[in-house]
């Protein structure tokens, strides 16, 4: 067996280990297509679903297994707003910026979250607890302005309610930490 084939196998094995078997299998299926790169966005969605974000290591592994240039994979991942390139916090705060929420003051709610947490859109607090993001309509316009924290919807949110919403999740984090001790 040639050294090149040997190296290729090692690189592929490392990439498979990075991404896990189910994603590696998905990529293998995509590679049977005459245009494997047309599956790139779908593969990146699957990777983000599994890891919560797209780190450099995962992007390189996708490039290796899908056999698409690493620069192209990185370019697609950074181009689309729905891909996250950094780890997300334990609590994902999505402030709806859809029309119904916006006209009812979502921008002021967002500014208050940003001020209280000391972060901007897309950033995560240094303790890894909160990530702040804006989102399109969350489908509950009757409750505008709406904020979703992980899977929980908070409706009719005002800037004055922001501290107590955050406190609720901080308390949860503290309780979980106590239980683990
Ligand atoms: S616009 Fe915010 S939930 Fe629809």
């Amino acid at each position: 067996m040639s050294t090149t084939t040997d190296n290729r196998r090692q690189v592929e094995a490392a990439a498979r280990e990075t991404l896990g078997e189910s994603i590696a299998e998905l990529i293998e299926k995509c590679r049977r297509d005459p245009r494997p790169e047309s599956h790139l966005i779908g593969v990146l969605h699957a990777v983000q679903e599994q890891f919560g974000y797209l780190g450099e290591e995962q992007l390189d592994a996708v490039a290796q297994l899908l056999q698409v240039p690493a620069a192209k994979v990185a370019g697609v991942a950074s181009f689309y707003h729905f891909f996250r390139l950094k780890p997300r916090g334990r609590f994902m705060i999505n402030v709806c910026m859809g029309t119904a929420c916006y006209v009812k003051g979502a921008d002021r709610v967002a500014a208050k979250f940003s001020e209280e947490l000391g972060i901007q859109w897309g950033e995560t607090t240094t303790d890894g607890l909160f990530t702040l993001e804006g989102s399109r309509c969350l489908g509950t316009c009757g409750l505008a302005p709406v904020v979703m924290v992980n899977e929980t919807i908070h409706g009719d949110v005002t800037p004055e309610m922001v501290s107590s919403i955050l406190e609720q999740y901080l308390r949860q984090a503290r309780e979980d930490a106590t239980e683990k001790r």
Side-chain angles (χ1 to χ4, degrees):
M1 188 188 303
S2 74
T3 318
T4 318
T5 313
D6 227 24
N7 283 349
R8 177 79 217 143
R9 287 204 174 160
Q10 277 180 11
V11 169
E12 287 208 2
R16 289 182 82 91
E17 201 174 322
T18 300
L19 295 174
E21 271 318 297
S22 63
I23 294 194
E25 275 168 26
L26 168 71
I27 295 179
E28 221 162 84
K29 273 192 213 142
C30 299
R31 250 171 70 179
R32 285 186 216 125
D33 191 289
R35 293 179 51 245
E37 71 278 6
S38 65
H39 297 278
L40 181 54
I41 290 181
V43 167
L44 292 177
H45 271 299
V47 175
Q48 179 163 285
E49 203 168 298
Q50 177 153 323
F51 293 90
Y53 74 109
L54 301 173
E56 267 178 43
E57 209 189 343
Q58 285 89 20
L59 293 178
D60 281 347
V62 168
Q64 290 296 346
L65 291 184
L66 200 56
Q67 300 207 331
V68 172
K72 170 149 194 180
V73 176
V76 167
S78 54
F79 180 77
Y80 291 101
H81 75 277
F82 41 74
F83 290 132
R84 196 174 303 115
L85 302 178
K86 290 188 188 147
R88 47 165 279 180
R90 176 168 166 205
F91 301 111
M92 186 80 202
I93 302 172
N94 271 301
V95 182
C96 178
M97 297 302 275
T99 310
C101 289
Y102 190 82
V103 297
K104 287 193 136 189
D107 55 334
R108 283 182 286 114
V109 171
K112 187 68 177 167
F113 272 109
S114 176
E115 180 195 321
E116 292 264 334
L117 296 168
I119 55 174
Q120 303 296 322
W121 282 146
E123 292 182 345
T124 298
T125 51
T126 49
D127 57 10
L129 279 182
F130 297 103
T131 297
L132 181 61
E133 281 189 352
S135 84
R136 298 194 179 134
C137 177
L138 291 166
T140 51
C141 309
L143 299 174
V146 174
V147 173
M148 187 161 82
V149 183
N150 292 352
E151 304 305 317
T152 304
I153 292 281
H154 297 265
D156 299 316
V157 178
T158 63
E160 292 70 34
M161 290 161 67
V162 167
S163 301
S164 66
I165 290 173
L166 289 175
E167 184 49 41
Q168 174 184 337
Y169 292 99
L170 282 168
R171 205 177 316 124
Q172 189 177 320
R174 280 196 296 266
E175 281 167 8
D176 291 350
T178 314
E179 270 172 28
K180 276 191 195 146
R181 272 193 218 136

